[in-house]
């Protein structure tokens, strides 16, 4: 993607939104399906894969590392893996684009391969902290040959054949750190343990078990202790990727704030470590009905009927943040249309996402005449039941800031413009046509 050619877009107040929507496949599971497929011996079949730019970068990295990755049809992919520790030295720099998940998980997987690889990304990814991954992978036995200042990309990483299994406490609740350690631990003899003080999304644990690894997860206070037996032969297993709740979040909030709306969302993953937004919206008075809950390939899914609702301000506890870490931009939009104050606590990690989201949300809300404050790590939004709008929002190469403010424009009195729509393609290609198909006015 050309980082310098920005494509602006505006959303304007729209009539009732109506219809059914199936948002694309879950981004977290899509990255992992490709990476675990590449580490298994034999062919993994994936259906419903997200074909966003972030995932295409991970697919390309797996190819560069020696796996065969083929697209057979829409969302239908096959991966022929090389086995744990079997990556070959890539000829070129591995480019992860905008995606920290792809980059950080692959850093873990590279640790146990006796090769050297250089990893890089776009201007947003180059700003993001990677020392949080270098610390554990160096402890396990890999070595950072070079890194930009502050342990940032581009990074050249040398893996090793003799890894040390470790007991690692993640310094912040992060599924990416946890997953990198577990992926490195796959190549270490003996048992690798990760302890997290608060439970983060557990797709890595679920998929490792699905691919035949010996992994145990126990409660540990409010968090978890995960133990993985190293040096397994991962066995290919089919992966059916459910619809991404973090993508569904945007049209769901649109459904709540646009009067007269009713939308049914199908196949949405309901993993409890991902549903903090639904819990919060319900506390705010949202009319969200579960139509059909069912199990599907290791994850529960459901259809949801969402109708426009009068929302009220609530307090979101810090302990809930990991289960909705990507949903705060759009929750801030919902809070702007609520009556009363919404306090979102414990958002420090938002400062190191695709952009400094805490700042980007506050600046975007103010540009649209919403009263907002940042106090320490808390975000406080004063809801007045309606939003003036009329602002132009800087998206800072951040897909979720872009989508959140387009959603705001669908119910604000005046149009809301964003400076750049292009990064939405990293996670939700088809976002704009899907909204238009439901009746939204975007131009
Ligand atoms: C992800 C974990 C989260 C999340 C990201 C995807 C994952 O990041 O923000 O979009 O797939 O593991 P952290 O683990 O850094 O919180």
């Amino acid at each position: 993607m050309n980082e310098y050619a920005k494509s602006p877009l505006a959303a304007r107040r729209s009539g009732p939104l109506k219809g059914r929507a199936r948002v694309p496949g879950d981004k977290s599971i899509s990255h992992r399906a490709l990476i675990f497929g590449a580490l298994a011996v034999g062919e993994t079949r994936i259906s419903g894969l997200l074909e966003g730019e972030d995932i295409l970068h991970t697919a390309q990295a797996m190819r560069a590392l020696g796996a065969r990755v083929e697209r057979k049809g829409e969302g239908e992919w096959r991966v022929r893996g090389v086995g744990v520790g079997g990556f070959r030295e890539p000829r070129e720099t591995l480019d992860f684009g905008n995606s920290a998940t792809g980059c950080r998980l692959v850093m873990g997987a590279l640790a146990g391969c006796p090769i050297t690889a250089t990893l890089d990304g776009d201007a947003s990814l180059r700003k993001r902290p990677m020392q949080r991954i270098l610390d554990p992978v160096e402890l396990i036995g890999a070595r950072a040959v070079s890194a930009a200042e502050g342990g940032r990309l581009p990074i050249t990483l040398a893996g090793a054949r003799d890894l040390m299994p470790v007991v690692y406490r993640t310094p912040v609740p992060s599924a990416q750190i946890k997953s990198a350690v577990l992926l490195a631990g796959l190549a270490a003899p003996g048992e690798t343990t990760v302890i997290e003080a608060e439970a983060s999304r557990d797709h890595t644990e679920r998929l490792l078990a699905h691919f035949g690894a010996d992994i145990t997860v126990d409660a540990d206070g409010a968090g978890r202790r995960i133990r993985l037996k190293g040096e397994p032969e991962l066995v290919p297993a089919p992966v059916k990727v459910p619809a991404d709740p973090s993508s569904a979040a945007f049209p769901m909030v649109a459904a709540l704030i646009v009067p007269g709306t009713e939308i049914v969302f199908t196949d949405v993953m309901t993993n409890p470590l991902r549903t903090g937004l639904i819990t919060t919206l319900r506390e705010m008075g949202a009319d969200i009905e579960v139509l059909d809950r069912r199990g599907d390939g290791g994850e529960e899914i459901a259809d949801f009927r969402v109708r426009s609702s009068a929302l009220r301000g609530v307090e979101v506890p810090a302990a809930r943040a990991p289960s909705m870490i990507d949903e705060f931009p759009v929750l801030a939009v919902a809070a702007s249309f609520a009556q009363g104050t919404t306090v979102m606590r414990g958002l420090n990690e938002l400062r190191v996402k695709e952009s400094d989201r805490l700042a980007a949300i506050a600046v975007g809300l103010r540009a649209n005449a919403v009263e907002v404050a940042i106090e320490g790590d808390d975000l406080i939004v004063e809801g007045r039941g309606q939003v003036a709008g009329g602002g132009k929002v800087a998206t800072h190469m951040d897909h979720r800031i872009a989508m959140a403010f387009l959603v705001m424009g669908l119910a604000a009195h005046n149009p809301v413009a964003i400076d750049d729509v292009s990064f939405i393609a990293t996670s939700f290609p088809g976002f704009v046509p899907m909204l238009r198909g439901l009746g939204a006015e975007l131009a």
Side-chain angles (χ1 to χ4, degrees), residues 65 87-92 94 110 113-119 143 145-146 155-160:
L65 291 165
F87 285 156
R88 70 156 192 240
E89 190 154 296
R91 278 191 281 270
E92 288 155 18
L94 304 175
L110 282 170
C113 307
I115 60 168
T116 298
T118 300
L119 305 92
R143 187 169 56 86
V145 177
S146 68
I155 289 173
T156 299
L157 192 66

Side-chain angles (χ1 to χ4, degrees), residues 88-341:
R88 70 156 192 240
E89 190 154 296
R91 278 191 281 270
E92 288 155 18
T93 296
L94 304 175
D95 174 11
F96 291 93
N98 195 246
S99 174
T101 309
C103 182
R104 291 179 175 148
L105 267 55
V106 170
M107 284 169 76
L110 282 170
C113 307
I115 60 168
T116 298
T118 300
L119 305 92
D120 204 354
D122 68 14
S124 154
L125 191 54
R126 279 184 170 201
K127 286 190 201 150
R128 300 183 65 184
M130 295 295 163
Q131 195 61 46
R132 53 174 61 189
I133 306 297
L134 290 178
D135 286 341
V137 299
E138 291 202 302
L139 207 61
I140 296 169
R143 187 169 56 86
V145 177
S146 68
E149 208 189 320
R152 292 188 157 72
L153 295 179
I155 289 173
T156 299
L157 192 66
R161 211 180 276 289
D162 321 304
L163 295 187
M164 291 271 298
V166 293
V167 176
Y168 197 74
R169 277 178 194 275
T170 55
V172 287
S174 161
Q176 295 179 357
I177 302 176
K178 168 176 66 178
S179 301
V181 176
L182 292 173
L183 279 158
L186 279 176
E191 191 173 272
T192 290
T193 303
V194 183
I195 302 161
E196 45 181 8
E198 292 166 73
S200 66
R201 65 189 68 192
D202 60 358
H203 310 302
T204 294
E205 296 90 308
R206 287 172 187 246
L207 277 174
L208 279 172
H210 188 58
F211 279 77
D214 186 346
I215 183 164
T216 323
V217 181
D218 294 303
D220 187 296
R224 291 182 169 181
R225 174 183 293 261
I226 303 128
R227 287 174 293 143
L228 171 69
K229 214 152 150 216
E231 302 183 311
E233 175 150 318
L234 294 183
V235 184
V239 181
K240 203 169 158 192
V241 184
D244 192 330
S246 297
S247 294
F250 298 95
M252 276 188 176
V253 168
L256 293 171
I257 63 176
V258 174
T261 290
E262 178 174 324
I263 302 175
V264 172
F265 295 93
T266 57
D267 300 345
V268 183
M269 180 167 62
T270 57
N271 181 315
L273 295 169
R274 298 287 300 281
T275 48
L277 177 75
I278 303 242
T279 306
T280 305
L281 291 172
R282 284 202 169 124
E283 288 173 3
M284 295 172 83
D287 180 352
I288 302 177
E289 196 185 336
V290 177
L291 298 181
D292 177 21
R293 200 182 277 281
R294 54 210 188 268
D296 198 2
E299 294 283 1
E300 281 222 326
I301 63 170
D303 299 343
F304 290 94
R305 177 184 288 133
V306 184
R307 295 192 182 96
S308 38
S309 308
L311 302 176
R312 54 186 176 269
V314 292
E315 180 160 335
V316 188
R320 194 181 293 161
S323 69
M324 53 179 300
I325 195 66
D326 293 331
E327 278 64 85
F328 287 101
V330 81
L331 177 62
V333 169
S336 306
F337 286 91
Q339 283 288 356
T341 308

